[in-house]
Each structure stands twice: as structure tokens, then as C-alpha cells.
Amino acid sequence: MGTLSERYDIVLSRCEGLLNIIEKERALAFSLNDRYKKSDDCIKIIGNTLDSICEKLGVQANVDVKQPPMPKTLKEVPSFLLCTIPWYWIRRIWHSRHVRQLALILMLCSWALSIGLTLFLAKDNADLQKDKKKNMLIRKLAILQPKTAEFVNYMDMVYADEAAHSKEISQLWQQYYIKK
């Protein structure tokens, strides 16, 4: 162990080393602060440029949904919980880009489905119209013979009320399958 002055010199040298480290860190902090200020200025310039471009193109800027303020009295708490908070989350979710894209996809799918169903119904309706015209022609030609006309009228009467004549209809179908 050295004398008091030697110990003082050791502590002083350590403090000088610590002071050098602190000075370096301080200089680094100042340089980072300057860089931040420069980048902040650049960000503001870019933001202003983008805002002017959006304004000229007529593009709507993103809508920010602000969080509602907390109620100040106990009377405002139920309306805050039951009305304000749910509407806040609905607006927040709707303004999400992903939710809007999902909504667009669902609308396009439902539109394509409705077009497909419309085309299917149009084709089915055309087939039914063709069958109806064919049956009308067969009926007009079949009525020329009295026995066939009587049978056609009987079939019309039976199928006019299927519930009441279900037994007769099943018997006619059984005769048809037996003759085959």
C-alpha cells in the first residue's frame, strides 16, 4: 500500500479514464441527436411532398381513428362501455387495410356467385321452355286421335291435383315400368 498521494493519483487516473468515456458517450449522443434532427427534417419534407402529391392526385389520406377519451363521471361509464368503445373498435377495424381487402374479396366472390347462379337459372329456364314447347307440340298432334286425346285429358286431370290422385299416379307409373 502506497502513501496517500499515490492512492490519490490512482483514483484520479481512474476518474480521468471515466471522464474520457463519459465525454466520448456525450459526443456520440450529440451526434445521434444531430442525425435525428436531420432525419426528422427529411421525414417532414418527404411527408409534405407526399401530402401534396396525394392532394394533386385526389387520393384520400389515411383516416386516423383516435381513441375516445375516458369518462369523467360515473354516469358516462355505461355509455362509454356500451357505445363509445364498440364503435371505436368497429371504426378501427374497418379502417384496417386488411379488413377492407377481405371485404372486397367477399364482395367480388358474392358477385361472381350471383352471376354464376343467374347464368345457371337462365340455362335451366331455356331448357324448360324447350321442353314446354315440345310437350305442347306433342299434345297438339296427340289430340287429333280421340283415344289419345282422352288419355291426355285424363293425365292433365290427375296431375292437376297430385295429392288427391297419388294412388292413380303410382299405378300408372307401375304399368309403365311393367310394359318396359
Side-chain angles (χ1 to χ4, degrees):
M1 303 247 162
T3 63
L4 186 60
S5 63
E6 289 175 353
R7 288 184 188 171
Y8 179 76
D9 288 338
I10 292 171
V11 171
L12 186 62
S13 67
R14 288 182 184 166
C15 286
E16 284 176 354
L18 185 60
L19 185 63
N20 289 337
I21 292 172
I22 290 173
E23 285 296 324
K24 288 179 185 177
E25 293 297 322
R26 186 171 177 249
L28 181 63
F30 277 125
S31 69
L32 288 177
N33 195 22
D34 290 339
R35 287 183 188 171
Y36 170 75
K37 286 180 182 178
K38 288 178 184 175
S39 67
D40 191 40
D41 292 339
C42 290
I43 289 172
K44 286 179 183 176
I45 291 170
I46 291 171
N48 291 336
T49 306
L50 289 176
D51 287 342
S52 64
I53 289 172
C54 289
E55 196 175 295
K56 287 181 182 178
L57 293 177
V59 177
Q60 183 183 5
N62 287 340
V63 179
D64 291 335
V65 180
K66 295 189 176 24
Q67 189 169 3
M70 293 297 289
K72 296 190 178 12
T73 63
L74 194 58
K75 288 181 180 178
E76 295 174 355
V77 171
S79 67
F80 178 76
L81 292 175
L82 298 175
C83 184
T84 308
I85 293 294
W87 278 113
Y88 163 72
W89 280 104
I90 288 170
R91 282 192 303 269
R92 186 168 177 182
I93 290 170
W94 178 249
H95 287 296
S96 168
R97 180 175 57 113
H98 303 292
V99 171
R100 287 188 180 204
Q101 287 175 350
L102 176 67
L104 179 66
I105 289 170
L106 291 176
M107 286 188 283
L108 288 175
C109 288
S110 64
W111 177 74
L113 182 68
S114 67
I115 295 292
L117 287 175
T118 302
L119 292 174
F120 171 75
L121 289 174
K123 181 194 175 301
D124 193 46
N125 193 18
D127 290 344
L128 286 174
Q129 289 295 327
K130 185 174 79 173
D131 287 346
K132 181 181 175 185
K133 287 180 183 178
K134 180 179 72 172
N135 288 337
M136 286 178 65
L137 182 62
I138 290 171
R139 179 181 297 251
K140 284 182 183 179
L141 293 175
I143 286 181
L144 297 176
Q145 298 174 356
K147 189 175 181 181
T148 311
E150 183 180 315
F151 183 73
V152 167
N153 289 333
Y154 172 71
M155 293 309 274
D156 281 342
M157 187 265 311
V158 167
Y159 272 99
D161 188 13
E162 287 186 48
H165 301 286
S166 61
K167 289 182 183 176
E168 294 175 48
I169 292 172
S170 62
Q171 287 174 355
L172 287 171
W173 279 108
Q174 284 175 356
Q175 288 175 4
Y176 171 75
Y177 284 122
I178 290 173
K179 287 182 182 178
K180 257 185 156 180

